[in-house]
Each structure stands twice: as C-alpha cells, then as structure tokens.
Amino acid sequence: MGTMDSAADGDSLVAVYDSAQFQALQRRSNVFIVWTSVAFYGWWLLLILLAAFAPDFFRKGIHGSFNVGLLFVTLSFLIVVAISALYLRFARTRLDPLSEQIRGDLEGDLR
C-alpha cells in the first residue's frame, strides 16, 4: 500500500472495518472465543469447587498414587490442547477464507 496516501488509506481501512464482511469475521471469531472460554473456565471452576468442597472425592485413588484430583488437572491440560487444535481448524476453515476475501478487496490490484 505504499502508493496510496495516508488519508485514502485511512478511509479504506475505516470502510473495511464498517463492512458487513469484517463484522461477520469478528462475530465468528468472538463466538468461538466466548464458547471455548465458557467451557474451559467452567471446567476450571468445577475443578476448584470440587477441590474446595469435596476433597475426599479428589483424594479417591484411581491407580496407585494417581487420584481423581490429578485426573482433573491432567484433563485440564488436555482440554487446552483440544481447544487449541479446534481453534486452528476453525481459523483455517471459517476465518481464513473470509479474511483473505477482505484482504483481496482491500488490496485490489496491489496483490
């Protein structure tokens, strides 16, 4: 975008920000972020509440020295990995095509 002046560049960026495509891109991204945040923080809150109010449940042995508390914490790490993998797939299939379309419209002949 080196050939455009800054006023025209700013106007085009404002137009892109106000466009329906960009609003759809933001909405898709925000919906994913909200749902995964609710799921993870809900899981984490459950873990904390169970640890605080049901310590005997957390101490229940599963195998050897591995207990329910360790299982919950291990599952927390696995949930983070699963959410990361889901986001990568979601971004590749739902966000990237729309963002490429917006970028193409913005850059026009400069691409």
Side-chain angles (χ1 to χ4, degrees):
M1 286 200 243
T3 61
M4 301 174 73
D5 65 347
S6 62
D9 189 29
D11 290 341
S12 64
L13 294 177
V14 170
V16 167
Y17 181 80
D18 292 336
S19 71
Q21 289 177 326
F22 188 77
Q23 299 300 322
L25 179 66
Q26 275 190 316
R27 190 172 33 260
R28 285 181 191 178
S29 176
N30 290 343
V31 165
F32 183 87
I33 290 168
V34 166
W35 280 110
T36 55
S37 295
V38 166
F40 179 76
Y41 289 125
W43 171 263
W44 195 251
L45 181 65
L46 175 68
L47 187 142
I48 291 170
L49 290 174
L50 283 174
F53 297 110
D56 292 336
F57 174 70
F58 258 31
R59 289 186 195 121
K60 248 183 222 180
I62 295 176
H63 179 69
S65 61
F66 196 75
N67 59 19
V68 174
L70 288 173
L71 175 66
F72 269 65
V73 172
T74 303
L75 288 175
S76 296
F77 289 114
L78 293 176
I79 288 173
V80 169
V81 170
I83 288 173
S84 299
L86 284 173
Y87 180 75
L88 289 173
R89 180 174 177 250
F90 177 78
R92 185 180 64 247
T93 59
R94 301 284 313 262
L95 299 180
D96 289 349
L98 188 54
S99 66
E100 284 297 320
Q101 184 179 5
I102 293 169
R103 181 179 171 203
D105 292 345
L106 180 63
E107 291 180 352
D109 292 333
L110 297 175
R111 277 183 102 183

